Amino acid sequence: MEKVKLFGTWSCPFAKRIVWALKLKNIEYEMIYEDLANKSPELLKYNPIHKKIPILVHNEIPLCESLVIVEYIDETWKDVYPFLPKDPLDRAKERFWAKFGDEQILSSFFNYFMKQGKDQEEAKEKTLTNLKRIEQLLSENKFLSGERFGYLDLTFGWLADNLRPLEIVTGLKLLDEDSFPNICAWKDEILSIPSIQECWPNQEALIAKYQETKERKGK
Ligand SMILES: N[C@@H](CCC(=O)N[C@@H](CS)C(=O)NCC(=O)O)C(=O)O
């Protein structure tokens, strides 16, 4: 009998990758919500190096780093809804873009909405330049992984669910339909997948969370 536990928070973009991956593969698991201001002894024991979530504990063995966890899930439950393509070259390409997204886009995206002045301008420029590459990737297929939602879409899920709440709270507009039609259509496609819909983060709760962050920073 498989025993799967996920340590995370409801809003962590990295933990959401794992929630979506488990849902797509129909894997039962126990969710353990962490308070990152007061990390549990289990979190510190299971991830002593980075002390971060998400952590997947499979039959008492902990795994850390969301991209590693997604691949582990894919390889372990390989018969149900495979995420990565079979061809090694296609797999390598998806891994390249996933790494690029985490290293070059994710933090500048959040910085654009959270920072001010010059830092914000720089973050905007970097994010838009790099998102243009993602827009291009989507010019041939409706998903980043091709005709079907896959590994690369999972890794970019943070973009789909955080964009609107952040735009609402800050009053800033990052992507519009004219300049980024493919990414805008991709966001809608993702939401039309029933398993994703079921665990789509509550948008009102995300808005409230970002509003609270904004007010705290403004003080
Ligand atoms: N590269 C990591 C990033 C994980 C991460 O940054 N998690 C945040 C929450 S969203 C965290 O645990 N932060 C706690 C801290 O930095 O002390 C991954 O992909 O899993």
Side-chain angles (χ1 to χ4, degrees), residues 12-14 36 39 52-54 65-66:
C12 169
F14 306 101
L36 294 179
K39 294 174 186 170
K52 290 184 178 191
I53 49 130
E65 286 298 312
S66 60

Side-chain angles (χ1 to χ4, degrees), residues 96-152:
F96 169 87
W97 286 110
K99 193 166 183 300
F100 176 76
D102 272 20
E103 289 176 357
Q104 300 294 328
I105 315 184
L106 196 146
S107 56
S108 68
F109 169 86
F110 284 100
N111 281 344
Y112 166 59
F113 291 106
M114 304 291 179
K115 302 266 178 186
Q116 304 274 309
K118 192 162 167 279
D119 289 344
Q120 185 179 53
E121 273 313 303
E122 280 172 11
K124 181 177 184 180
E125 207 181 303
K126 184 171 176 191
T127 309
L128 289 178
T129 304
N130 287 328
L131 281 180
K132 272 282 166 206
R133 301 180 201 276
I134 302 305
E135 176 71 14
Q136 180 61 31
L137 275 187
L138 283 165
S139 61
E140 282 169 21
N141 293 304
K142 62 181 178 189
F143 291 111
L144 290 164
S145 295
E147 272 313 296
R148 179 174 157 281
F149 181 95
Y151 174 77
L152 198 51

